[in-house]
Amino acid sequence: MTASGDFTPESARVTRQLRDEILDGVRRPGSRLVEREVAEQLGVSRLPVRDALKTLVAEGLVTPRPRSWAVVREFGPSDVADLDEVRSALETLAFRLAAQRHTRAGLERLRADLDAELDAARAGDAVRARRAAADFHQTVVQLAANELLSALEGVLRSRMRWLLGRHDDLLAMAREHEALYDAVAARDADRVESLVLDHLATGRRAFMSRRDR
């Protein structure tokens, strides 16, 4: 059940838990996801696990294997390069539109995401900071008020969140988001675009640093 009392299908709950465990680093790249074992760990039948794995395969987080198991996807440099090219185009557009079209209520939601990220970063809570960072980017897409852009973001959301998880300097990332927030709030689309390009470059360096380690 959700907080509002609405029923949540078990497959959706299992999908959310596995997604979070993968993106939060609990289940590492290359880890096996065997239906029977995951079902036992989560205290559910194998059917919702099977459905969850299919969803995570579609989201690009899991690689299927024959029969009833899969592995957590290992993203290589070419995967990241492909994602970075698409992300560059989508996020530049999203932030420019958000700067032009945001409402007061939308800007308040974006500020709340930023404050949550800053608080978590200052506390050294990596999981909470990265989740808030992902929320910040998702809210920007909502402020852009473009249905097609929102649909494309939905397809890439999990992989985008994975990419944000490459950042180790949590406070530096939050400060970059703070500068982006200020530019969006000022409706300064040109400055937003410049900051987005810098932000994307920071992400590339973060991935390279992690890969080299």
Side-chain angles (χ1 to χ4, degrees), residues 106-202:
L107 199 61
E108 289 174 354
R109 293 199 307 275
L110 192 63
R111 184 72 228 188
D113 293 336
L114 173 60
D115 287 343
E117 183 185 1
L118 284 166
D119 288 346
R122 291 177 181 127
D125 188 335
V127 170
R128 193 160 57 90
R130 289 168 181 154
R131 288 185 180 185
D135 290 342
F136 179 88
H137 281 265
Q138 189 175 341
T139 299
V140 166
V141 173
Q142 294 169 358
L143 300 189
N146 182 299
E147 289 187 9
L148 181 55
L149 181 62
S150 293
L152 292 171
E153 185 273 338
V155 172
L156 295 171
R157 183 174 302 158
S158 290
R159 277 171 278 194
M160 294 290 197
R161 184 175 153 193
W162 175 87
L163 196 59
L164 287 170
R166 303 311 93 199
H167 291 269
D168 289 321
D169 193 336
L170 304 174
L171 193 55
M173 180 168 63
R175 291 301 186 194
E176 289 190 7
H177 285 163
E178 189 169 37
L180 282 163
Y181 169 85
D182 289 341
V184 169
R187 299 191 186 276
D188 190 342
D190 290 338
R191 176 157 175 74
V192 160
E193 185 167 342
S194 175
L195 289 171
V196 168
L197 294 176
D198 290 342
H199 189 50
L200 292 167
T202 299

XYZ file of all heavy atoms in Angstrom, residues 106-202:
751
model
N 6.383 25.500 -9.660
C 7.425 24.606 -10.161
C 8.789 24.984 -9.622
O 9.596 24.107 -9.266
N 9.057 26.269 -9.555
C 10.341 26.726 -9.034
C 10.482 26.367 -7.555
O 11.581 26.030 -7.093
C 10.459 28.236 -9.228
C 11.872 28.829 -9.164
C 12.746 28.237 -10.260
C 11.813 30.346 -9.277
N 9.387 26.402 -6.822
C 9.434 26.000 -5.415
C 9.775 24.517 -5.278
O 10.525 24.126 -4.374
C 8.096 26.304 -4.746
C 7.844 27.791 -4.543
C 6.448 28.084 -4.018
O 5.633 27.138 -3.915
O 6.162 29.264 -3.708
N 9.228 23.681 -6.171
C 9.571 22.248 -6.145
C 11.051 22.051 -6.447
O 11.726 21.224 -5.816
C 8.729 21.472 -7.164
C 7.248 21.407 -6.860
C 6.568 20.266 -7.611
N 6.820 20.307 -9.046
C 6.108 21.025 -9.925
N 5.108 21.783 -9.493
N 6.390 20.988 -11.220
N 11.562 22.803 -7.414
C 12.973 22.684 -7.781
C 13.857 23.116 -6.612
O 14.880 22.481 -6.332
C 13.260 23.538 -9.015
C 14.615 23.308 -9.693
C 14.718 21.883 -10.228
C 14.818 24.316 -10.829
N 13.464 24.174 -5.912
C 14.225 24.634 -4.752
C 14.209 23.584 -3.643
O 15.232 23.362 -2.962
C 13.632 25.942 -4.232
C 14.405 26.560 -3.067
C 15.737 27.136 -3.517
N 16.846 26.727 -2.672
C 18.065 27.227 -2.789
N 18.328 28.144 -3.698
N 19.042 26.811 -2.002
N 13.074 22.921 -3.474
C 12.983 21.874 -2.451
C 13.921 20.714 -2.780
O 14.584 20.163 -1.886
C 11.546 21.384 -2.329
N 13.987 20.329 -4.045
C 14.920 19.274 -4.457
C 16.358 19.700 -4.183
O 17.174 18.915 -3.677
C 14.767 18.977 -5.952
C 13.433 18.340 -6.312
O 12.818 17.713 -5.429
O 13.016 18.476 -7.480
N 16.676 20.946 -4.529
C 18.030 21.452 -4.322
C 18.383 21.486 -2.838
O 19.479 21.065 -2.443
C 18.155 22.853 -4.925
C 19.466 23.598 -4.662
C 20.644 22.824 -5.230
C 19.404 25.000 -5.254
N 17.467 21.970 -2.005
C 17.738 22.036 -0.568
C 17.950 20.647 0.015
O 18.820 20.456 0.883
C 16.590 22.740 0.156
C 16.569 24.244 -0.104
O 17.602 24.785 -0.557
O 15.517 24.875 0.132
N 17.164 19.675 -0.460
C 17.335 18.297 0.018
C 18.708 17.766 -0.367
O 19.377 17.079 0.417
C 16.236 17.408 -0.563
N 19.139 18.099 -1.591
C 20.457 17.650 -2.039
C 21.572 18.311 -1.241
O 22.535 17.656 -0.820
C 20.636 17.949 -3.524
C 21.965 17.446 -4.077
C 22.202 17.842 -5.520
O 21.339 18.524 -6.112
O 23.269 17.475 -6.058
N 21.454 19.622 -1.028
C 22.478 20.341 -0.258
C 22.578 19.802 1.170
O 23.685 19.582 1.691
C 22.151 21.832 -0.229
C 22.436 22.619 -1.519
C 21.751 23.977 -1.471
C 23.945 22.788 -1.723
N 21.435 19.569 1.799
C 21.434 19.044 3.173
C 22.110 17.678 3.231
O 22.927 17.408 4.128
C 20.001 18.943 3.695
C 19.382 20.307 3.988
O 20.131 21.296 4.041
O 18.142 20.361 4.157
N 21.769 16.813 2.273
C 22.340 15.466 2.262
C 23.835 15.505 1.964
O 24.623 14.761 2.565
C 21.616 14.605 1.230
N 24.228 16.372 1.036
C 25.646 16.482 0.691
C 26.464 16.963 1.887
O 27.553 16.449 2.167
C 25.822 17.422 -0.498
N 25.939 17.949 2.593
C 26.650 18.462 3.774
C 26.756 17.400 4.859
O 27.726 17.376 5.630
C 25.936 19.697 4.318
C 26.056 20.913 3.394
C 25.280 22.094 3.942
N 25.350 23.262 3.061
C 24.285 23.913 2.609
N 23.056 23.529 2.959
N 24.436 24.949 1.802
N 25.760 16.523 4.913
C 25.769 15.445 5.921
C 26.582 14.238 5.455
O 26.769 13.290 6.221
C 24.341 15.020 6.228
N 27.044 14.259 4.203
C 27.804 13.132 3.672
C 26.958 11.917 3.358
O 27.478 10.798 3.278
N 25.661 12.126 3.169
C 24.736 11.027 2.863
C 24.658 10.879 1.347
O 23.853 11.529 0.672
C 23.354 11.338 3.437
C 22.388 10.167 3.336
O 22.571 9.311 2.444
O 21.439 10.114 4.137
N 25.510 10.008 0.793
C 25.634 9.887 -0.662
C 24.350 9.411 -1.319
O 23.952 9.922 -2.370
C 26.787 8.946 -1.010
N 23.703 8.430 -0.735
C 22.487 7.883 -1.337
C 21.408 8.952 -1.420
O 20.794 9.170 -2.473
C 21.976 6.661 -0.536
C 20.576 6.261 -1.014
C 22.939 5.491 -0.705
N 21.197 9.644 -0.319
C 20.149 10.670 -0.299
C 20.504 11.844 -1.218
O 19.637 12.400 -1.898
C 19.929 11.145 1.142
C 18.676 11.981 1.343
C 18.248 11.993 2.813
N 19.280 12.470 3.702
C 19.439 13.751 4.053
N 18.610 14.676 3.582
N 20.391 14.112 4.888
N 21.768 12.228 -1.263
C 22.190 13.343 -2.113
C 22.001 13.004 -3.591
O 21.522 13.836 -4.370
C 23.652 13.692 -1.838
N 22.358 11.793 -3.967
C 22.238 11.407 -5.375
C 20.779 11.244 -5.783
O 20.410 11.569 -6.912
C 23.030 10.128 -5.626
C 24.537 10.368 -5.582
C 25.337 9.090 -5.537
N 26.769 9.380 -5.480
C 27.678 8.561 -4.960
N 27.289 7.396 -4.439
N 28.952 8.896 -4.955
N 19.971 10.766 -4.877
C 18.535 10.672 -5.191
C 17.935 12.059 -5.361
O 17.123 12.294 -6.262
C 17.803 9.897 -4.087
C 18.093 8.403 -4.085
C 17.240 7.688 -3.053
N 17.509 6.256 -3.034
C 16.852 5.384 -2.303
N 15.868 5.794 -1.497
N 17.143 4.090 -2.345
N 18.321 12.986 -4.501
C 17.812 14.357 -4.617
C 18.314 15.014 -5.893
O 17.582 15.781 -6.537
C 18.230 15.174 -3.392
N 19.549 14.717 -6.281
C 20.090 15.250 -7.529
C 19.277 14.748 -8.719
O 18.973 15.513 -9.654
C 21.558 14.849 -7.683
N 18.926 13.469 -8.687
C 18.100 12.908 -9.763
C 16.724 13.568 -9.774
O 16.175 13.868 -10.853
C 17.969 11.393 -9.583
N 16.167 13.814 -8.586
C 14.868 14.504 -8.497
C 14.964 15.912 -9.095
O 14.031 16.379 -9.764
C 14.410 14.598 -7.038
C 14.014 13.252 -6.458
O 13.757 12.308 -7.234
O 13.954 13.140 -5.215
N 16.079 16.589 -8.851
C 16.291 17.935 -9.374
C 16.209 17.932 -10.901
O 15.500 18.735 -11.508
C 17.659 18.446 -8.907
C 18.010 19.828 -9.389
C 17.631 20.948 -8.662
C 18.744 20.013 -10.550
C 17.966 22.233 -9.098
C 19.081 21.281 -10.999
C 18.695 22.398 -10.266
N 16.920 16.989 -11.526
C 16.912 16.916 -12.987
C 15.525 16.544 -13.513
O 15.075 17.065 -14.539
C 17.953 15.895 -13.461
C 19.350 16.423 -13.441
N 19.958 16.975 -14.547
C 20.267 16.493 -12.442
C 21.182 17.359 -14.236
N 21.398 17.071 -12.966
N 14.838 15.654 -12.813
C 13.502 15.259 -13.249
C 12.523 16.431 -13.137
O 11.675 16.623 -14.022
C 13.010 14.083 -12.402
C 11.715 13.457 -12.915
C 11.330 12.216 -12.129
O 12.151 11.615 -11.441
N 10.071 11.839 -12.219
N 12.650 17.226 -12.093
C 11.778 18.385 -11.938
C 12.038 19.412 -13.033
O 11.101 20.054 -13.532
C 11.970 19.027 -10.553
O 11.621 18.071 -9.538
C 11.090 20.255 -10.380
N 13.288 19.570 -13.432
C 13.599 20.489 -14.533
C 12.840 20.091 -15.787
O 12.274 20.941 -16.497
C 15.120 20.521 -14.799
C 15.420 21.187 -16.152
C 15.841 21.257 -13.684
N 12.796 18.796 -16.072
C 12.059 18.320 -17.254
C 10.574 18.656 -17.118
O 9.919 19.058 -18.086
C 12.273 16.807 -17.454
C 11.373 16.266 -18.569
C 13.732 16.523 -17.788
N 10.039 18.510 -15.918
C 8.637 18.866 -15.698
C 8.399 20.361 -15.937
O 7.390 20.757 -16.527
C 8.216 18.483 -14.277
C 8.213 16.979 -14.028
C 8.047 16.632 -12.559
O 7.966 17.510 -11.701
N 8.021 15.337 -12.242
N 9.348 21.198 -15.512
C 9.211 22.639 -15.710
C 9.304 23.022 -17.181
O 8.799 24.072 -17.588
C 10.287 23.397 -14.921
C 10.323 23.221 -13.400
C 11.292 24.203 -12.775
C 8.944 23.412 -12.801
N 9.955 22.181 -17.981
C 10.082 22.467 -19.411
C 8.731 22.407 -20.113
O 8.565 22.986 -21.195
C 11.055 21.486 -20.061
N 7.769 21.692 -19.529
C 6.393 21.644 -20.041
C 6.331 21.203 -21.505
O 5.676 21.830 -22.339
C 5.716 23.004 -19.863
N 7.029 20.103 -21.784
C 7.022 19.534 -23.134
C 6.754 18.042 -22.983
O 7.587 17.307 -22.446
C 8.366 19.796 -23.819
C 8.420 19.270 -25.247
O 8.284 18.069 -25.479
N 8.631 20.168 -26.200
N 5.605 17.580 -23.437
C 5.196 16.197 -23.202
C 6.145 15.196 -23.855
O 6.452 14.145 -23.285
C 3.774 15.971 -23.705
C 2.709 16.657 -22.858
C 1.304 16.280 -23.280
O 1.153 15.360 -24.104
O 0.343 16.894 -22.771
N 6.613 15.491 -25.055
C 7.515 14.564 -25.734
C 8.848 14.476 -25.001
O 9.407 13.386 -24.829
C 7.727 14.997 -27.181
C 8.631 14.090 -28.030
C 8.128 12.647 -28.017
C 8.722 14.621 -29.457
N 9.340 15.606 -24.547
C 10.580 15.613 -23.777
C 10.414 14.803 -22.499
O 11.302 14.039 -22.118
C 10.984 17.049 -23.450
C 12.278 17.231 -22.656
C 13.474 16.700 -23.439
C 12.476 18.711 -22.303
N 9.270 14.937 -21.841
C 9.004 14.168 -20.623
C 8.990 12.672 -20.910
O 9.498 11.871 -20.113
C 7.665 14.591 -20.010
O 7.726 15.917 -19.539
N 8.410 12.294 -22.044
C 8.367 10.878 -22.409
C 9.769 10.334 -22.660
O 10.112 9.223 -22.224
C 7.490 10.688 -23.642
N 10.597 11.101 -23.341
C 11.970 10.673 -23.608
C 12.770 10.572 -22.311
O 13.550 9.631 -22.118
C 12.647 11.654 -24.564
C 12.101 11.683 -25.992
C 12.708 12.835 -26.778
C 12.358 10.359 -26.701
N 12.555 11.527 -21.406
C 13.236 11.483 -20.114
C 12.834 10.247 -19.333
O 13.665 9.624 -18.657
C 12.904 12.751 -19.321
C 13.661 12.890 -18.003
C 12.967 12.204 -16.827
O 11.736 11.993 -16.904
O 13.649 11.888 -15.843
N 11.564 9.854 -19.431
C 11.101 8.666 -18.729
C 11.812 7.410 -19.194
O 12.147 6.527 -18.389
N 12.082 7.330 -20.485
C 12.784 6.171 -21.039
C 14.213 6.094 -20.507
O 14.731 5.006 -20.229
C 12.796 6.238 -22.587
C 13.697 5.156 -23.165
C 11.380 6.098 -23.129
N 14.840 7.253 -20.344
C 16.256 7.300 -19.963
C 16.479 7.534 -18.473
O 17.623 7.574 -18.018
C 16.954 8.416 -20.744
C 17.032 8.225 -22.260
C 17.541 9.492 -22.921
C 17.938 7.051 -22.600
N 15.408 7.676 -17.707
C 15.535 8.129 -16.316
C 16.488 7.282 -15.485
O 17.350 7.805 -14.777
C 14.160 8.159 -15.657
C 14.158 8.696 -14.228
C 12.731 8.811 -13.723
N 11.956 9.691 -14.587
C 10.627 9.663 -14.672
N 9.943 8.788 -13.947
N 9.996 10.499 -15.464
N 16.359 5.979 -15.552
C 17.203 5.114 -14.722
C 18.670 5.241 -15.102
O 19.558 5.305 -14.243
C 16.752 3.664 -14.845
O 15.503 3.473 -14.228
N 18.947 5.298 -16.417
C 20.341 5.434 -16.841
C 20.901 6.810 -16.485
O 22.079 6.935 -16.137
C 20.452 5.168 -18.349
C 20.543 3.673 -18.668
C 20.432 3.374 -20.131
N 19.029 3.355 -20.569
C 18.637 2.862 -21.733
N 19.517 2.352 -22.572
N 17.352 2.868 -22.057
N 20.063 7.839 -16.538
C 20.498 9.166 -16.120
C 20.841 9.158 -14.628
O 21.846 9.746 -14.206
C 19.392 10.191 -16.390
C 19.081 10.429 -17.848
S 20.400 11.299 -18.724
C 19.488 11.838 -20.176
N 19.994 8.498 -13.848
C 20.240 8.438 -12.412
C 21.526 7.658 -12.128
O 22.294 8.016 -11.230
C 19.049 7.788 -11.708
C 19.163 7.770 -10.198
C 17.903 7.235 -9.561
N 18.193 6.641 -8.264
C 17.362 5.877 -7.579
N 16.155 5.614 -8.071
N 17.693 5.356 -6.415
N 21.771 6.611 -12.914
C 23.028 5.863 -12.759
C 24.211 6.783 -13.018
O 25.205 6.782 -12.276
C 23.063 4.684 -13.733
C 24.384 3.959 -13.695
C 24.751 2.952 -12.856
C 25.533 4.237 -14.511
N 26.054 2.581 -13.101
C 26.554 3.358 -14.112
C 25.785 5.148 -15.542
C 27.814 3.351 -14.704
C 27.045 5.155 -16.132
C 28.046 4.256 -15.713
N 24.125 7.601 -14.074
C 25.226 8.490 -14.420
C 25.482 9.508 -13.316
O 26.638 9.816 -12.989
C 24.917 9.205 -15.743
C 26.095 9.870 -16.458
C 27.185 8.845 -16.786
C 25.615 10.545 -17.738
N 24.422 10.029 -12.710
C 24.591 10.974 -11.601
C 25.294 10.323 -10.413
O 25.968 10.995 -9.632
C 23.229 11.522 -11.161
C 22.570 12.527 -12.099
C 21.130 12.790 -11.659
C 23.359 13.831 -12.143
N 25.143 9.021 -10.300
C 25.774 8.299 -9.210
C 27.274 8.164 -9.340
O 27.944 7.652 -8.440
N 27.859 8.620 -10.472
C 29.311 8.549 -10.640
C 30.011 9.674 -9.884
O 31.221 9.647 -9.712
C 29.697 8.647 -12.127
C 29.095 7.606 -13.071
C 29.244 6.192 -12.562
N 28.057 5.793 -11.794
C 28.015 4.778 -10.930
N 29.081 4.076 -10.682
N 26.897 4.474 -10.321
N 29.262 10.692 -9.470
C 29.858 11.830 -8.765
C 30.218 11.432 -7.331
O 29.381 10.927 -6.593
C 28.882 13.002 -8.723
C 28.642 13.642 -10.055
N 29.390 14.700 -10.513
C 27.736 13.382 -11.027
C 28.953 15.059 -11.704
N 27.949 14.285 -12.035
N 31.449 11.688 -6.946
C 31.868 11.460 -5.563
C 31.875 12.744 -4.748
O 31.694 12.716 -3.536
C 33.268 10.826 -5.529
C 33.247 9.383 -6.009
O 32.287 8.661 -5.674
O 34.180 8.985 -6.736
N 32.105 13.887 -5.419
C 32.108 15.162 -4.713
C 30.670 15.675 -4.650
O 30.214 16.432 -5.502
C 33.013 16.169 -5.432
C 33.304 17.404 -4.578
O 32.487 17.689 -3.683
O 34.324 18.069 -4.817
N 29.959 15.236 -3.625
C 28.526 15.508 -3.528
C 28.235 16.994 -3.415
O 27.285 17.498 -4.036
C 27.951 14.775 -2.314
C 28.175 13.261 -2.271
C 27.682 12.704 -0.940
C 27.478 12.569 -3.429
N 29.026 17.709 -2.633
C 28.753 19.129 -2.424
C 29.046 19.939 -3.689
O 28.319 20.885 -4.009
C 29.560 19.655 -1.246
C 29.146 21.038 -0.722
C 27.658 21.072 -0.367
C 29.995 21.418 0.489
N 30.077 19.555 -4.421
C 30.389 20.256 -5.672
C 29.246 20.094 -6.673
O 28.868 21.052 -7.359
C 31.690 19.731 -6.264
N 28.680 18.879 -6.741
C 27.555 18.660 -7.650
C 26.354 19.496 -7.209
O 25.670 20.102 -8.041
C 27.174 17.172 -7.698
C 26.005 16.886 -8.642
S 25.756 15.126 -8.995
C 25.372 14.491 -7.374
N 26.105 19.531 -5.909
C 24.979 20.317 -5.405
C 25.178 21.804 -5.699
O 24.223 22.516 -6.031
C 24.816 20.084 -3.902
N 26.419 22.284 -5.589
C 26.695 23.695 -5.881
C 26.456 24.000 -7.361
O 25.990 25.095 -7.714
C 28.140 24.040 -5.500
C 28.416 24.029 -4.002
C 27.542 25.018 -3.250
N 27.908 25.120 -1.832
C 27.161 25.690 -0.914
N 25.979 26.198 -1.246
N 27.549 25.746 0.340
N 26.790 23.056 -8.237
C 26.509 23.253 -9.659
C 25.002 23.322 -9.896
O 24.521 24.136 -10.697
C 27.141 22.141 -10.490
C 28.663 22.219 -10.552
C 29.263 21.272 -11.574
O 28.499 20.636 -12.350
O 30.510 21.168 -11.620
N 24.255 22.488 -9.191
C 22.794 22.541 -9.300
C 22.265 23.866 -8.761
O 21.287 24.412 -9.292
C 22.174 21.366 -8.552
C 22.304 20.070 -9.276
N 22.126 18.851 -8.668
C 22.587 19.800 -10.576
C 22.301 17.886 -9.546
N 22.586 18.446 -10.709
N 22.899 24.387 -7.718
C 22.463 25.664 -7.154
C 22.640 26.796 -8.176
O 21.770 27.663 -8.326
C 23.239 25.969 -5.881
C 22.708 27.168 -5.108
C 23.328 27.272 -3.725
O 24.539 26.970 -3.583
O 22.607 27.654 -2.776
N 23.770 26.778 -8.898
C 23.997 27.785 -9.930
C 22.976 27.644 -11.056
O 22.458 28.642 -11.583
C 25.416 27.658 -10.479
N 22.658 26.406 -11.406
C 21.638 26.168 -12.431
C 20.273 26.660 -11.958
O 19.520 27.266 -12.731
C 21.586 24.681 -12.775
C 22.695 24.179 -13.702
C 22.811 22.663 -13.637
C 22.432 24.627 -15.139
N 19.971 26.397 -10.708
C 18.692 26.871 -10.156
C 18.599 28.392 -10.257
O 17.563 28.937 -10.672
C 18.545 26.432 -8.696
C 17.386 27.120 -8.006
C 16.096 26.629 -8.108
C 17.596 28.316 -7.293
C 15.035 27.289 -7.511
C 16.537 28.974 -6.692
C 15.260 28.457 -6.809
O 14.204 29.128 -6.238
N 19.661 29.079 -9.872
C 19.652 30.543 -9.909
C 19.413 31.054 -11.328
O 18.664 32.030 -11.530
C 20.967 31.094 -9.365
C 21.114 30.903 -7.857
O 20.083 30.685 -7.179
O 22.259 30.959 -7.372
N 20.036 30.411 -12.310
C 19.871 30.845 -13.698
C 18.461 30.553 -14.200
O 17.869 31.364 -14.928
C 20.906 30.149 -14.585
N 17.908 29.405 -13.816
C 16.528 29.084 -14.192
C 15.576 30.093 -13.568
O 14.677 30.625 -14.233
C 16.158 27.644 -13.757
C 14.657 27.404 -13.889
C 16.917 26.615 -14.600
N 15.770 30.378 -12.293
C 14.895 31.318 -11.590
C 14.947 32.707 -12.215
O 13.939 33.422 -12.265
C 15.285 31.396 -10.114
N 16.138 33.094 -12.726
C 16.309 34.408 -13.356
C 15.846 34.417 -14.811
O 15.923 35.457 -15.467
C 17.768 34.823 -13.275
N 15.389 33.259 -15.297
C 14.979 33.108 -16.701
C 16.107 33.490 -17.666
O 15.869 34.020 -18.765
C 13.723 33.939 -16.999
C 12.503 33.541 -16.172
C 11.229 34.187 -16.675
N 10.106 33.907 -15.802
C 9.348 32.790 -15.862
N 9.603 31.868 -16.767
N 8.337 32.624 -15.015
N 17.335 33.183 -17.260
C 18.513 33.486 -18.079
C 18.878 32.234 -18.882
O 19.746 31.446 -18.489
C 19.674 33.916 -17.174
C 20.862 34.468 -17.953
O 20.944 34.207 -19.169
O 21.694 35.167 -17.344
N 18.229 32.050 -20.021
C 18.393 30.830 -20.809
C 19.814 30.665 -21.337
O 20.335 29.544 -21.405
C 17.396 30.817 -21.970
N 20.460 31.754 -21.707
C 21.825 31.656 -22.233
C 22.802 31.197 -21.153
O 23.666 30.354 -21.404
C 22.271 33.002 -22.800
C 21.527 33.366 -24.076
O 20.991 32.440 -24.739
O 21.463 34.569 -24.412
N 22.660 31.759 -19.951
C 23.543 31.325 -18.855
C 23.243 29.878 -18.476
O 24.157 29.105 -18.182
C 23.381 32.241 -17.643
C 24.206 31.767 -16.443
C 24.510 32.870 -15.457
N 25.197 32.365 -14.276
C 26.473 31.980 -14.252
N 27.197 32.034 -15.355
N 27.035 31.541 -13.138
N 21.982 29.510 -18.487
C 21.615 28.123 -18.188
C 22.331 27.175 -19.136
O 22.897 26.159 -18.715
C 20.084 27.932 -18.300
C 19.745 26.463 -18.480
C 19.392 28.461 -17.050
N 22.308 27.491 -20.422
C 22.941 26.604 -21.401
C 24.439 26.472 -21.136
O 24.996 25.367 -21.204
C 22.697 27.110 -22.815
C 23.237 26.170 -23.882
C 22.727 26.493 -25.270
O 21.705 27.201 -25.397
O 23.340 26.019 -26.246
N 25.095 27.575 -20.820
C 26.527 27.534 -20.518
C 26.803 26.686 -19.284
O 27.735 25.864 -19.257
C 27.044 28.957 -20.299
O 28.401 28.943 -19.897
N 25.967 26.837 -18.254
C 26.146 26.064 -17.018
C 25.880 24.578 -17.237
O 26.548 23.722 -16.645
C 25.223 26.604 -15.928
C 25.586 27.977 -15.358
C 24.468 28.495 -14.460
C 26.900 27.914 -14.574
N 24.900 24.257 -18.084
C 24.612 22.857 -18.383
C 25.820 22.202 -19.041
O 26.202 21.070 -18.694
C 23.376 22.724 -19.290
C 23.261 21.300 -19.844
C 22.112 23.070 -18.512
N 26.446 22.892 -19.980
C 27.624 22.337 -20.652
C 28.756 22.093 -19.659
O 29.435 21.056 -19.712
C 28.078 23.277 -21.766
C 27.103 23.431 -22.937
C 27.617 24.458 -23.942
C 26.862 22.094 -23.628
N 28.943 23.023 -18.718
C 29.952 22.830 -17.681
C 29.588 21.647 -16.785
O 30.457 20.854 -16.389
C 30.078 24.096 -16.823
C 30.704 25.260 -17.573
O 31.340 25.024 -18.623
O 30.542 26.408 -17.111
N 28.303 21.532 -16.457
C 27.824 20.452 -15.594
C 28.036 19.089 -16.262
O 28.465 18.132 -15.611
C 26.340 20.675 -15.305
C 25.759 19.774 -14.276
N 26.320 19.568 -13.033
C 24.624 19.005 -14.288
C 25.589 18.718 -12.332
N 24.552 18.367 -13.076
N 27.777 19.015 -17.543
C 27.993 17.776 -18.279
C 29.482 17.421 -18.320
O 29.854 16.241 -18.196
C 27.440 17.906 -19.695
C 25.915 18.007 -19.808
C 25.514 18.454 -21.206
C 25.257 16.681 -19.475
N 30.326 18.408 -18.469
C 31.766 18.159 -18.477
C 32.229 17.615 -17.130
O 33.085 16.722 -17.065
C 32.516 19.446 -18.822
N 31.658 18.142 -16.048
C 31.975 17.628 -14.715
C 31.601 16.155 -14.605
O 32.344 15.345 -14.034
C 31.224 18.429 -13.633
O 31.630 19.785 -13.685
C 31.506 17.871 -12.241
